[in-house]
Amino acid sequence: MKLLIAVPVFLVVLILDLITKAVAVSVLAPSGAPISVIGEWFRFALVYNPGAAFGLHLGEYSRWLFMVLTGVALVVLWRLLRQSAEGDVRRLLAIALVAAGAVGNVIDRIRSELGVVDFIDIGIGLHRWPTFNVADIAVSSGAFLLAIVLWREERDEVARAAADQATLATSSRSADIS
């Protein structure tokens, strides 16, 4: 049942990421010039990112290091998926988003030494957000949602433990009085 939610989301995001990157490369690569979508604020500009998010680069082995880290992250996500409750749609959605984005970007790392294809460029003048792609959106939004879900789970667990302690304390006092 969990896979009926996670797999379609994973596939849709991954396919959308791969298609948009292919279109970006085919349309933007020949000229290299950004294409305005909404003035200068939102445009498409092809950038190859050999590092990680925000251009984090760890030298000549960045590509391999980030592929290994992605593999580790996917194992952790798989374990989270297996531990998820059947009806926990938010948690399953979050896991699928993060996994799809991670796989989309690792496919780029495997395919090309140039790095991950980024093409969404937002900003004003010289003040621009680092260029990103659909996979980055999926990883970021999925990680944010997963953090909220896990925080709520922990909060609920702490509240249940406190309630159990209160019940135990009340039962203990009742037994002492009897």
Side-chain angles (χ1 to χ4, degrees):
M1 184 64 180
K2 293 182 227 182
L3 294 179
L4 289 175
I5 294 169
V7 170
V9 171
F10 175 88
L11 290 174
V12 166
V13 171
L14 180 60
I15 290 167
L16 180 63
D17 178 59
L18 296 174
I19 289 171
T20 56
K21 287 175 180 173
V23 169
V25 168
S26 69
V27 171
L28 299 170
S31 72
I35 296 175
S36 293
V37 178
I38 303 174
E40 192 176 307
W41 181 80
F42 179 71
R43 60 189 190 177
F44 295 131
L46 183 61
V47 175
Y48 289 93
N49 181 358
F54 308 113
L56 176 64
H57 191 58
L58 303 174
E60 65 181 288
Y61 299 108
S62 285
R63 176 179 180 215
W64 301 106
L65 178 62
F66 292 127
M67 282 195 274
V68 169
L69 290 174
T70 299
V72 170
L74 291 171
V75 168
V76 170
L77 290 169
W78 177 251
R79 292 182 76 190
L80 283 172
L81 177 74
R82 290 183 55 209
Q83 294 170 356
S84 298
E86 291 291 332
D88 196 347
V89 175
R90 280 181 252 164
R91 185 174 184 173
L92 298 171
L93 174 63
I95 292 167
L97 287 170
V98 174
V103 169
N105 282 341
V106 85
I107 287 171
D108 280 2
R109 290 184 201 292
I110 292 168
R111 284 196 297 200
S112 172
E113 290 183 15
L114 295 174
V116 174
V117 173
D118 289 333
F119 61 92
I120 302 171
D121 181 26
I122 295 175
I124 298 173
L126 297 176
H127 306 287
R128 311 209 64 79
W129 188 260
T131 308
F132 57 98
N133 58 41
V134 172
D136 297 336
I137 295 168
V139 168
S140 299
S141 58
F144 182 74
L145 179 58
L146 188 58
I148 290 171
V149 167
L150 294 175
W151 174 75
R152 285 183 177 169
E153 287 175 8
E154 183 179 347
R155 181 193 64 192
D156 293 347
E157 192 174 307
V158 167
R160 273 192 301 276
D164 290 347
Q165 282 287 57
T167 302
L168 185 60
T170 303
S171 299
S172 177
R173 277 186 255 141
S174 295
D176 289 345
I177 294 173
S178 303

